[in-house]
Amino acid sequence: MATPSNFVDLQAGFYNALAQGLGYSNQDPFQVIQPSPPLTGGDDSDALLWAYLNNMPVASLTQNTQFTGGNQYLADYQGVMSALQSAPNNFQSTIGPTCWDAYQTALKDKDVKTGAVAFRNWALYCDPCSAVATSGASALAAAMLDPIFAAQMNVTPYKPAGTEAVTFSPGYAKMLALLKKAPSRSFEVSASNWKTDVSKTWTQGSTTGFFGLWGGSSSSSSISEKFASGGVSVKASFDNVLPFNATPGDWYSSAAFGMAFNNPDKAPWTPKNPITWDTTFGNNGNMQRFASSLLIANHMNISVVSAAQYSQDEQTQIQSNQGNGLWPFYCSGNSGGSSTNAAFDKDGRMTVTITSKANVPVVIGCIVLAASQYLGHEVQASKILTGQFYN
């Protein structure tokens, strides 16, 4: 137990406190997600929720979603499918090159769904394909029995190759219904009672990308260091916290993906392709880890008391930046689902209050699984509660 001496220690202490408060040990593959804008619903509610699952986690105790947007599940998965070779079939030769090109374009533009029946119904009214509608459907039905070929066809309509956005199931409405029934959670840490040792966590303490006192600030800035080392206490409560599990949509094939993972450096991988098992699942691969479940909070109330004394200029600087969100979740409040307020007493000591509205979900963390565990998700799920990961 100690008072953090810098922002790195404070963030480590917060990680331990939040994990324990949510019912996990620091042996579990738990990751804090920051910043955490509320999911206020609306036409894009599913897309905003699924974006967290589409993001590939880095090996860090903290995931900053503003820094990790370039590595996406769907796009990386499409790359893998393009690097696999399917079993020989005569579908393309049966329909011919002109019809094949028309069919690929129709798939990408969502003018036709995958599958033999859909192909036949579409081909009957497509000039390049009408003569091969029946024979092509039969050939396609046979080809789709191969999981690699089926996976390659099923992912074709999705971005960036096609126009369909990434999907998972269930979506926002089901998540919100489950969230309202989830248990409450809370924790409290005094200024001198932080547990800052994260050396035995699933990353052996590695953590990167977190902000300083406010969203977008540096954790090594003078005002952030003053905040972190001056004595910080936190009291947090959540009316509900839900471990939300969702599975990839029709674009994903566990059979094909599993075959790719279980056969390094051999079929179904295409020889001499720049996308390989190692570039995908290896030590520097882009699909080493997955967000298997999201930790979603409802109606949170966070109180952060800083014992440091802030000058008038520092107070003005903090309050002018509170719209960017303040530590630890950086809820900016731009969407109207949360509020963040910094208040100062006569001695310049600060109290930060962060609240989110009831029934407005906030994603505060996730459970990270290695590729081998993710592909055996059902077997591994029970271990989340027993700390048997990454040992």
Side-chain angles (χ1 to χ4, degrees), residues 56-329:
M56 305 299 288
V58 295
S60 171
L61 300 181
T62 302
Q63 177 188 153
N64 188 315
T65 55
Q66 293 186 7
F67 296 163
T68 58
N71 197 13
Q72 302 293 299
Y73 191 170
L74 172 58
D76 292 346
Y77 172 84
Q78 281 183 320
V80 172
M81 291 303 109
S82 72
L84 303 183
Q85 51 189 347
S86 61
N89 66 76
N90 64 353
F91 172 59
Q92 188 171 352
S93 62
T94 298
I95 65 174
T98 303
C99 181
W100 170 263
D101 290 343
Y103 181 50
Q104 292 298 300
T105 299
L107 284 173
K108 293 175 182 179
D109 293 342
K110 296 195 301 182
D111 292 334
V112 61
K113 294 183 178 180
T114 56
V117 174
F119 170 82
R120 184 193 62 198
N121 293 341
W122 166 82
L124 285 171
Y125 299 96
C126 178
D127 288 338
C129 301
S130 57
V132 294
T134 301
S135 59
S138 297
L140 179 56
M144 292 289 281
L145 296 176
D146 171 34
I148 300 297
F149 182 83
Q152 292 169 335
M153 297 299 288
N154 288 337
V155 80
T156 298
Y158 291 85
K159 295 179 179 179
T163 58
E164 187 78 11
V166 68
T167 58
F168 290 81
S169 181
Y172 181 91
K174 180 64 174 179
M175 177 276 293
L176 185 57
L178 294 171
L179 178 61
K180 294 176 182 179
K181 300 177 182 179
S184 62
R185 299 291 184 187
S186 63
F187 68 91
E188 186 173 354
V189 186
S190 64
S192 60
N193 204 34
W194 291 94
K195 298 178 181 178
T196 59
D197 182 9
V198 289
S199 61
K200 296 182 179 179
T201 58
W202 63 279
T203 70
Q204 290 78 53
S206 175
T207 185
T208 59
F210 52 87
F211 293 137
L213 177 53
W214 58 80
S217 67
S218 170
S219 60
S220 60
S221 68
S222 59
I223 198 167
S224 293
E225 289 290 2
K226 182 176 187 176
F227 168 75
S229 61
V232 177
S233 60
V234 174
K235 186 175 183 180
S237 66
F238 312 89
D239 281 7
N240 314 94
V241 176
L242 172 71
F244 174 69
N245 296 292
T247 57
D250 293 340
W251 55 269
Y252 175 77
S253 167
S254 60
F257 202 45
M259 289 175 66
F261 178 80
N262 290 316
N263 292 280
D265 303 323
K266 58 183 179 181
W269 293 94
T270 303
K272 299 182 180 180
N273 192 294
I275 299 176
T276 66
W277 191 97
D278 193 56
T279 64
T280 303
F281 302 114
N283 291 336
N284 295 312
N286 59 2
M287 302 191 81
Q288 296 179 65
R289 293 166 294 273
F290 297 81
S292 70
S293 60
L294 303 176
L295 282 303
I296 304 178
N298 180 31
H299 197 201
M300 70 178 183
N301 287 276
I302 313 291
S303 177
V304 179
V305 178
S306 172
Q309 292 180 289
Y310 298 90
S311 68
Q312 189 61 53
D313 286 345
E314 289 172 329
Q315 293 179 36
T316 300
Q317 187 178 6
I318 291 169
Q319 289 180 322
S320 66
N321 282 284
Q322 68 184 9
N324 296 320
L326 297 172
W327 186 87
F329 287 121

Side-chain angles (χ1 to χ4, degrees), residues 302-371:
I302 313 291
S303 177
V304 179
V305 178
S306 172
Q309 292 180 289
Y310 298 90
S311 68
Q312 189 61 53
D313 286 345
E314 289 172 329
Q315 293 179 36
T316 300
Q317 187 178 6
I318 291 169
Q319 289 180 322
S320 66
N321 282 284
Q322 68 184 9
N324 296 320
L326 297 172
W327 186 87
F329 287 121
Y330 309 103
C331 297
S332 65
N334 292 336
S335 61
S338 67
S339 64
T340 299
N341 177 260
F344 297 87
D345 66 15
K346 61 182 180 60
D347 297 317
R349 295 182 176 90
M350 176 175 65
T351 298
V352 176
T353 303
I354 304 170
T355 60
S356 66
K357 293 182 179 180
N359 303 324
V360 179
V362 179
V363 179
I364 59 174
C366 68
I367 297 298
V368 179
L369 296 186

Side-chain angles (χ1 to χ4, degrees), residues 358-384:
N359 303 324
V360 179
V362 179
V363 179
I364 59 174
C366 68
I367 297 298
V368 179
L369 296 186
S372 59
Q373 297 165 327
Y374 181 81
L375 290 170
H377 186 269
E378 292 183 1
V379 175
Q380 298 293 334
S382 63
K383 296 184 180 180
I384 289 176

